[in-house]
């Protein structure tokens, strides 16, 4: 939960008038879903890349209805298969209620917040804070017409002081615009078809969450290294230093050889720094 920025998820409150379907029970299920899903990757020794794209999900009846997934068991929680025609919409941490709601504003989605979350928390890329005296997006005005969100962001990126970061963040966030502020699938907003295309500064182009996930998997080395660094830092309970690189490197080597995520935990737990760690 620290890694994904969800430690304070219980305080996330979408606007009750706009999103009456978002209840305390749904929020509780959403957080538990994320925990169960990530835990299963390590407990079942599955590929770490399934965190990005999986063909299964852990759901309650509430979540299944929210996602449009099947639910037939009498058990409160069950693992359900995501059919191939649904894997564009669901599967992995990018498509969950918890992460999608946390990276939205109370009354609308935010490609900026979602794009920044992908860059920082998924790929481990640092995004500097916005420069001072730059007005918030909501304050941007256009004299001719009411602009849709994507057009507002394009105006925002025309400012040189904003472009360097927004050119990296916004396209990634556009890939998740098929999800509303509480993670429900949609193809339109206010009667207009959503434009979920994104083009990165590298020239890489994609459209929608399915292609976004494939793009992130093409950068799996960045993703896996970031996750391993987070795990090592959490296990040692301190900031990492250059002497910890050996644990990270060995973990990544085994991960590439064996595929299963449990190898990371074994490398960490048997490492000298972990077995000789101390606490003040």
């Amino acid at each position: 939960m620290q890694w994904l920025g969800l430690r304070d998820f219980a305080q996330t409150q979408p606007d009750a008038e706009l999103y009456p379907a978002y209840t305390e029970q749904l929020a509780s299920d959403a957080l538990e879903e994320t925990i169960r899903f990530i835990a299963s990757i390590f407990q079942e020794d599955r590929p770490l890349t399934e965190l990005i794209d999986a063909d299964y999900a852990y759901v309650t009846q509430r979540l299944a209805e929210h996602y449009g997934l099947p639910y037939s068991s009498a058990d409160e929680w069950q693992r359900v298969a995501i059919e191939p025609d649904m894997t564009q919409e669901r599967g992995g941490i990018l498509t969950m209620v918890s992460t999608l709601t946390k990276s939205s504003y109370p009354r609308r989605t935010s490609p900026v917040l979602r794009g920044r979350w992908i860059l920082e928390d998924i790929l481990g890329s640092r995004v500097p804070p916005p420069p001072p005296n730059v007005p918030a997006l909501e304050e941007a005005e256009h004299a001719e017409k009411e602009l849709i969100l994507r057009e507002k962001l394009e105006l925002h990126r025309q400012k040189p002081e904003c472009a360097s970061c927004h050119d990296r963040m916004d396209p990634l966030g556009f890939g998740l615009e098929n999800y509303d502020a509480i993670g429900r699938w949609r193809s339109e907003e206010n009667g207009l078809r959503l434009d979920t295309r994104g083009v990165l500064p590298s020239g890489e182009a994609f459209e929608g969450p399915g292609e976004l996930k494939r793009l992130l998997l093409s950068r799996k080395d960045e993703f896996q290294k970031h996750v391993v660094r987070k795990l090592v830092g959490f296990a040692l309970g301190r900031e990492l230093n250059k002497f910890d690189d050996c644990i990270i490197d060995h973990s990544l080597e085994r991960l590439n050889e064996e595929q299963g995520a449990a190898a990371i935990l074994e490398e960490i737990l048997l490492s000298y720094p972990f077995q000789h760690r101390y606490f003040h």
Side-chain angles (χ1 to χ4, degrees):
M1 298 304 99
Q2 288 178 339
W3 163 44
L4 295 177
L6 296 174
R7 285 185 297 176
D8 59 348
F9 180 69
Q11 280 71 57
T12 303
Q13 294 293 334
D15 186 274
E17 181 180 356
L18 289 178
Y19 303 105
Y22 191 85
T23 63
E24 185 177 337
Q25 293 80 10
L26 180 67
S28 177
D29 286 358
L31 191 61
E32 181 67 19
E33 174 200 13
T34 309
I35 294 170
R36 286 174 180 258
F37 175 73
I38 295 176
S40 73
I41 297 291
F42 293 93
Q43 291 168 346
E44 299 173 17
D45 198 20
R46 303 188 68 85
L48 198 64
T49 51
E50 287 189 3
L51 289 170
I52 297 292
D53 192 15
D55 60 1
Y56 60 91
Y58 290 88
V59 295
T60 59
Q61 185 171 358
R62 272 186 295 269
L63 284 172
E65 293 173 353
H66 196 80
Y67 291 147
L69 294 175
Y71 184 90
S72 57
S73 171
D75 297 333
E76 181 181 7
W77 283 95
Q78 63 174 275
R79 173 172 165 161
V80 299
I82 300 175
E83 297 300 324
D85 62 338
M86 284 284 290
T87 54
Q88 296 287 324
E89 301 180 17
R90 299 297 171 187
I93 54 178
L94 272 70
T95 69
M96 293 181 172
V97 173
S98 59
T99 54
L100 291 165
T101 303
K102 189 67 170 63
S103 56
S104 296
Y105 290 119
R107 296 183 63 85
R108 65 165 177 84
T109 61
S110 173
V112 176
L113 293 181
R114 289 177 174 178
R116 181 175 186 142
W117 176 77
I118 291 173
L119 274 178
E120 291 193 323
D121 295 342
I122 302 301
L123 296 175
S125 178
R126 181 181 177 275
V127 179
N133 303 319
V134 174
L137 178 64
E138 288 79 4
E139 298 173 22
E141 295 179 353
H142 192 275
E144 297 179 3
K145 62 176 181 177
E146 181 69 21
L147 299 179
I148 61 174
L149 180 58
R150 189 181 186 103
E151 291 173 327
K152 289 181 180 179
L153 289 171
E154 287 172 356
L155 285 176
H156 213 57
R157 292 201 300 276
Q158 290 176 10
K159 301 173 183 176
E161 66 270 30
C162 303
S164 60
C165 290
H166 281 273
D167 284 348
R168 298 166 60 212
M169 295 187 298
D170 297 2
L172 295 170
F174 290 142
L176 296 177
E177 273 294 275
N178 278 126
Y179 306 101
D180 71 6
I182 61 171
R184 293 177 301 194
W185 181 263
R186 60 184 183 168
S187 57
E188 297 181 347
E189 183 181 25
N190 299 325
L192 299 174
R193 182 172 179 80
L194 286 164
D195 185 352
T196 61
R197 294 170 298 167
V199 181
L200 298 178
S202 63
E204 297 170 287
F206 61 92
E207 183 172 1
E211 292 185 10
L212 172 60
K213 288 193 285 186
R214 284 193 287 274
L215 181 138
L216 294 176
L217 289 176
S218 73
R219 298 169 66 175
K220 70 174 185 178
D221 290 347
E222 296 172 59
F223 164 68
Q224 292 185 154
K225 184 173 183 177
H226 182 58
V227 175
V228 170
R229 286 181 60 84
K230 286 290 185 179
L231 285 168
V232 173
F234 181 79
L236 299 181
R238 58 168 171 76
E239 292 289 328
L240 299 181
N241 58 53
K242 63 180 181 180
F243 301 106
D244 301 317
D245 288 347
C246 60
I247 311 175
I248 296 167
D249 292 342
H250 291 160
S251 297
L252 291 171
E253 287 172 8
R254 286 194 58 188
L255 187 62
N256 289 327
E257 292 171 359
E258 303 172 25
Q259 302 303 314
I264 303 171
L265 302 185
E266 186 174 322
E267 283 295 324
I268 294 173
L269 299 177
L270 296 180
S271 70
Y272 183 91
F274 179 80
Q275 300 213 356
H276 293 80
R277 70 198 188 285
Y278 65 91
F279 301 97
H280 294 291

